[in-house]
Each structure stands twice: as structure tokens, then as C-alpha cells.
Amino acid sequence: MPWVDELSEPQQLRHCIRDLVALSTLPALWKDYDSRQIADSAAAALLSMLDADVIYVSAPGLRNQPAADVIRTRGAVTAESSGRVERILRSAWRGKREQISVIDNPLGTGTLRIAAAPMGFGGDDIIVAGSPDPQFPSETHRLLLGITANHATLAIQRWLAEAEQRRLVSVIERSSEFVGFAHLDGTPQYINKAAFELLGLSEFQELQTASIFDFLAPDEQTRARTELLPMVMRTGRWLGELNFRHFKTGEVIPFLLDWFRIDDPRTGRPTNMAAVSRDLRPQKKLEDDLRRLNESLEQRVAERTSELAEALERLTIEAEERARSDVRAQNLQAELHHAARLSTAGQMAGALAHELNQPLTAITNSVNAGRRMMANDGPLRVDTLREILDEAGQQALRAGEIIRRLREFVTRGETDMRIENLPDLIGEASELASAGTGLHDVEVRLSFDPRAATVFASRIQLQQVILNLIRNAHEAMTQSEWRQLAVTTARLDDESIQIVVADRGSGLPDSIVEHLFEPFHTTKIDGMGLGLSICRSIVEAHRGKLDYEPNDGGGAIFRVTLPVPLQH
Ligand code: ADP
């Protein structure tokens, strides 16, 4: 023991013993101190015991807090120079540990001898002492410095551990989950506030007389005792659902329980057990609500789906029904169309005699004329006979054509519509009309507008119309003084042309005008009153119209208005 050899003087020995005793009381003094207070108190004790000029202590602070650095000097120093001295001492000592340093005295003149003792935290924490005394540090000084550093380290370590513990306790206390510790025999040691409330315990007393198995629902206790606890002891942990019970109401509370063993880190032997558990009621309620919601949703979806399916079925049936009625409507339309044609055809059949009468009369006349010629004893004029026969043949062909067209119109075949030269068409019709009636004393004036040169029409049908109009005009003029007939064409506008048949005949009595275009209205003894109604049907089939107006100064005017053919 080198330091003992040094203490030859009884005086020094007494001092030393006194200092050691004083140091041994420090831990008791530091019981409620924090790191800074411990460092400061250690610095104060050492300043006096070592008869030093300066003591600097650097101790650790709490987590996330700065180090508790403290400096104590014999004489008064300003805060500024205290900081400077602290830095000098720190750098003089950095890395040297046990050695002694000699530096320029930052507090006065001459040199300062420095000794240090590290604190046991494994970092830069240290106690540094400085003195101008050339004997400094003696073995005794270094001994006192070392003991103080050890005591301070232990005290600060305890303070840090207690702070950590306080933090943990406050976390556990504030936790909303059940947290508890128990002895290995099942006697509860501690449960947090949440646990007290969840189980309806009011007194700590109640807790001490209970067993952890009393916390459980009666039908869970046996399983916990015979299965779960042995598993915790054997494997270290059990995690699962377990029903607890409320001490006051007896309500069964489902918990998710994490039950584990606590072992002594040094021996590895179990010392306690602990449980952290969560009340599953809110979660179960949520699950229940969700399940109910799901069920009602599923039901609603099912209802809606079947509603939709029904609606779809209804729609399909309706669509089929509509398709069927569409077909029916189409058939009906076709039938109507056909019926309309047939009725027109009926009218036409009536008129057929009327129309055919003309070529047939012409044929009969021709044949009679031929026969008369052959019966005469005079010389047979072959040329004249050929003309007569040609005329008869042409009229027979025309009669056949009239019948063919009528058949075509009655059956559903398309009418033979094409672009026709209007003056030609009218000229031909006019000739036919004259040929049929034999009224050669009628003055016929044809006048054609070159801007109405063509028409899109069935030649035969339109000729029939003109023929009819001319023939009616002829007939109306039998008694007239001036037998004038004008057939003219005109371009009305961009879209229509007109054929006008005007005569100087008897004109039309009002009684006839009203029903002029209706069938079977006639003033003639042998008339059928069909011609004009057929004419109007034909003109309308050509997307045109047929109108009547009285001729100023006597007579009738019939106007056939037709669309201009597309390429014009
Ligand atoms: P129908 O010639 O067989 O009588 P229409 O329908 O052709 O049949 O004519 C109906 C009636 O209209 C005729 O009976 C006649 O009285 C009158 N009518 C037709 N055209 C003229 C006309 N240009 N002038 C005077 N009366 C006419």
C-alpha cells in the first residue's frame, strides 16, 4: 500500500482517515441528488480534501440531456474564465487518463499540475483536479480522487436507473391496457390503474388477498391453472384470448392476454410473471356491428339483385313482346299497303273498261273499216288496208300495255319509273287522245317550257293522266263555240314543274267541284266518275299533286305539279 508509506506523520494520517470517513458519508447524502448535484457536491468535497485550486467534474445527464459539467475553484472566477479553464482542463487531460499533466496555470501564475480520475460510464466523463503544489498529486490525493469518482459514478448510475424506472412506471400507469406482475405462486404484486378499473377492483388490499386466477371467469380458471400457467413456466410465454371477470358486476370480459415469465438475467431463473392484456369488448362490438352490417348489406344486395333480375326478366319479356308486335305491325302495314293498292286497283279495274274502251273502239273501227273495204267490189288498196291493220295492231298493243301496267301496279312490283322527256310524253298522249275521240275540230295548243324538259315518272301512268284530262276536256267542249285546248309545261321553282291542261268547255258545276276527285262522281250518262280519282292517285304516287281551278271566261284548268328530277 504505497499511500500508507507516505503517511509518516500522524497528523497526515488523521487527515486522511477523516477525509475517508467524510467520503464514505457522501453516498447517503446523494440519495435524492441528481447528476449535477452529485457532481457539484463531489467537486466541493475534493477541493477541500486535496487542497486543490480547481476541480472539474463532467458527469452524464439523463437521456437526451446535456452532460452535467461542474467546475469549482479556490478563488472566485468569472463565468467566462470558468468556461475557459474548463476547456483547458478538458483538452489537457484528453486521452491521458492516469498520467499527470503540467500546464500554464490558467487561474494565476506559474504552472498547474493536474490529476484526473475517470468515471465508470465508459465515455469522457471524468473528475479533474488541479493544484500549483509541486507535490501534487500525492498517492493520497490520487486515492481520494479515485474513491470520489467511484462513489459519484455509483450514485449517478443509481439516479439514472431510478429515472428510467420512474419513466417506465409512469408509462405503465398511464397505459389503457391491463398490465400486472405476480409472484410465481400466482399472488399479484402490482397491477396498473387500467387493470384496477377493468376488473372493478377498488382497494390495493383486495389485490393482495387475491390470486391471479380470481381475475378470470370461473369456467376459464381450471384451464389457466392446469394448461396455461405450466406453458408460461415451460416456454416463457402464452398469448391468446381469455375471459376475465368484473369483480363487482361479474360481467365476463374477453381479453387478449400476453402472459410471460420474467427471469433473473444473472441466474436465468424465473422470478416473476407478468401480463399485458387488452380488453376485446370494443373490438368484438366492432366485429359484431360489422358482421350485422355485412349481413344486412348482403341481404339488401340479394334483394336488390332479385329485384334487378325480375326487372330484367320483365324487360326481356317486354322486348320480346315489342319485337313480336313490331313484326305484327309490319305485317299489318304490308297488308294495308297491299289492300290500299288493291282498292286503288279496284278503282282502276272499274276504269279499265273506260281506258280500254278507247283502244278497243279504235280497233273495232279499224277492223270494220278493213272489212268494209274488202266487202266493196272496188280495187283493194293494200296500202290503206295495211295502215288500218297497223293502227288496229298498235291499239291492241296499247290495250295490252294498259293491262300489263295495271297488273304490275296491283301485284307489288315496282313501277317502271325513269327520267322521261316531258314534251314527247305529252305529245304522244295528246295524239292518242285525239285518235280515240275523233274530235279533230278541237284546236290543241301545246307549249313546252325548256326548263321543264324532263320528269321522273312511269311513262304509261303519266300519259294516262294526261290522256284522261285531255279526253275530259274534249268531252266538255262538245257544245262549245270555241274548242280550244291548251296543254303547257312550266318550271315553277327549283323543286317543281307543272303540266297545265286548260279548256274552254262547259266548266264544272259547284256540286261536282266539291267531290271532283272522289270516285263515282260524274255528270256523264255513260261516265263512271273514276278518271280523276285515279289520276290523283297516280300523280300522288309520283310525289306530286293534281288540282282544279275554273278557267277565267269559261272552262276548266287542271294542274299537275311534279318534283324536278334529281339530276336537274
Ligand atoms: P267521268 O269522266 O267518268 O265522269 P271523271 O272522274 O273523269 O269521270 O270526271 C268526273 C266529272 O268531272 C265528269 O263527269 C265531269 O262532269 C267533270 N269534268 C271532268 N273534267 C272536266 C272538264 N274538263 N270540264 C268540265 N267538266 C269536267
Side-chain angles (χ1 to χ4, degrees), residues 358 362 365 391 395 429-440 467 474:
Q358 182 196 315
N365 289 344
E391 171 67 19
Q395 289 302 324
S430 160
E431 266 175 38
L432 283 169
S434 311
T437 54
L439 293 173
H440 298 292
L467 199 63
H474 278 184

Side-chain angles (χ1 to χ4, degrees), residues 370-390:
R371 190 186 293 137
R372 270 199 306 275
M373 193 177 278
M374 286 195 291
N376 283 344
D377 293 338
L380 192 68
R381 283 174 291 163
V382 178
D383 287 350
T384 315
L385 195 59
R386 186 181 294 121
E387 263 177 41
I388 290 170
L389 288 177
D390 280 351

Side-chain angles (χ1 to χ4, degrees), residues 192-493:
N192 67 350
K193 222 165 133 242
F196 266 101
E197 280 165 13
L198 285 167
L199 298 181
L201 283 161
S202 48
E203 297 270 337
F204 186 66
Q205 206 63 28
E206 264 178 332
L207 180 68
Q208 283 184 318
T209 55
S211 145
I212 53 167
F213 300 106
D214 297 335
F215 297 165
L216 304 178
D219 56 349
E220 295 274 43
Q221 291 182 358
T222 313
R223 179 164 84 107
R225 221 186 273 276
T226 58
E227 285 176 37
L228 309 184
L229 179 60
M231 185 184 290
V232 172
M233 286 302 138
R234 201 173 60 248
T235 66
R237 188 179 184 196
W238 181 81
L239 180 73
E241 260 189 54
L242 203 64
N243 288 330
F244 281 44
R245 80 178 168 100
H246 194 277
F247 266 62
K248 300 271 180 311
T249 64
E251 182 196 352
V252 171
I253 309 167
F255 269 90
L256 178 67
L257 176 65
D258 189 353
W259 189 358
F260 51 94
R261 200 180 68 197
I262 299 173
D263 298 339
D264 185 323
R266 284 166 304 169
T267 62
R269 285 165 171 260
T271 55
N272 309 68
M273 53 188 166
V276 178
S277 27
R278 190 184 329 140
D279 180 359
L280 288 178
R281 279 175 301 183
Q283 189 181 326
K284 296 252 184 223
K285 185 176 175 310
L286 217 70
E287 283 170 7
D288 258 21
D289 290 352
L290 208 67
R291 190 169 38 74
R292 267 200 296 277
L293 204 73
N294 258 336
E295 280 168 7
S296 83
L297 206 68
E298 271 168 22
Q299 196 182 338
R300 275 187 7 230
V301 167
E303 283 169 12
R304 195 86 189 91
T305 311
S306 84
E307 274 171 29
L308 282 175
E310 277 171 27
L312 190 69
E313 204 175 325
R314 273 202 305 277
L315 268 178
T316 315
I317 290 169
E318 274 171 28
E320 284 168 4
E321 189 68 29
R322 185 161 307 158
R324 272 199 295 276
S325 63
D326 277 356
V327 170
R328 270 203 301 275
Q330 273 169 17
N331 289 341
L332 206 64
Q333 207 172 16
E335 277 165 24
L336 277 176
H337 200 63
H338 189 52
R341 279 170 172 276
L342 281 178
S343 103
T344 310
Q347 292 176 11
M348 282 188 83
L352 192 58
H354 194 263
E355 301 290 334
L356 289 178
N357 196 33
Q358 182 196 315
L360 288 176
T361 309
I363 293 168
T364 311
N365 289 344
S366 299
V367 170
N368 285 341
R371 190 186 293 137
R372 270 199 306 275
M373 193 177 278
M374 286 195 291
N376 283 344
D377 293 338
L380 192 68
R381 283 174 291 163
V382 178
D383 287 350
T384 315
L385 195 59
R386 186 181 294 121
E387 263 177 41
I388 290 170
L389 288 177
D390 280 351
E391 171 67 19
Q394 264 180 19
Q395 289 302 324
L397 282 176
R398 177 161 178 78
E401 183 66 3
I402 289 171
I403 293 167
R404 190 180 70 76
R405 291 287 168 169
L406 180 70
R407 194 185 302 125
E408 216 173 66
F409 187 70
V410 173
T411 59
R412 294 183 204 178
E414 285 297 309
T415 329
D416 188 13
M417 301 275 283
R418 59 167 66 95
I419 303 277
E420 297 285 357
N421 183 294
L422 191 54
D424 285 358
L425 189 147
I426 293 172
E428 232 173 81
S430 160
E431 266 175 38
L432 283 169
S434 311
T437 54
L439 293 173
H440 298 292
D441 50 352
V442 173
E443 183 189 335
V444 181
R445 278 191 295 154
L446 303 178
S447 127
F448 303 120
D449 183 342
R451 294 171 307 146
T454 55
V455 68
F456 185 65
S458 155
R459 190 180 184 86
I460 287 286
Q461 284 186 5
L462 195 54
Q463 279 183 336
Q464 261 179 281
V465 172
I466 294 161
L467 199 63
N468 247 306
L469 295 177
I470 293 176
R471 208 190 51 229
N472 276 350
H474 278 184
E475 287 171 2
M477 290 191 294
T478 45
Q479 307 299 322
S480 298
E481 208 172 319
W482 296 291
R483 296 182 184 169
Q484 287 174 344
L485 172 66
V487 182
T488 52
T489 61
R491 173 75 171 248
L492 292 187
D493 50 37

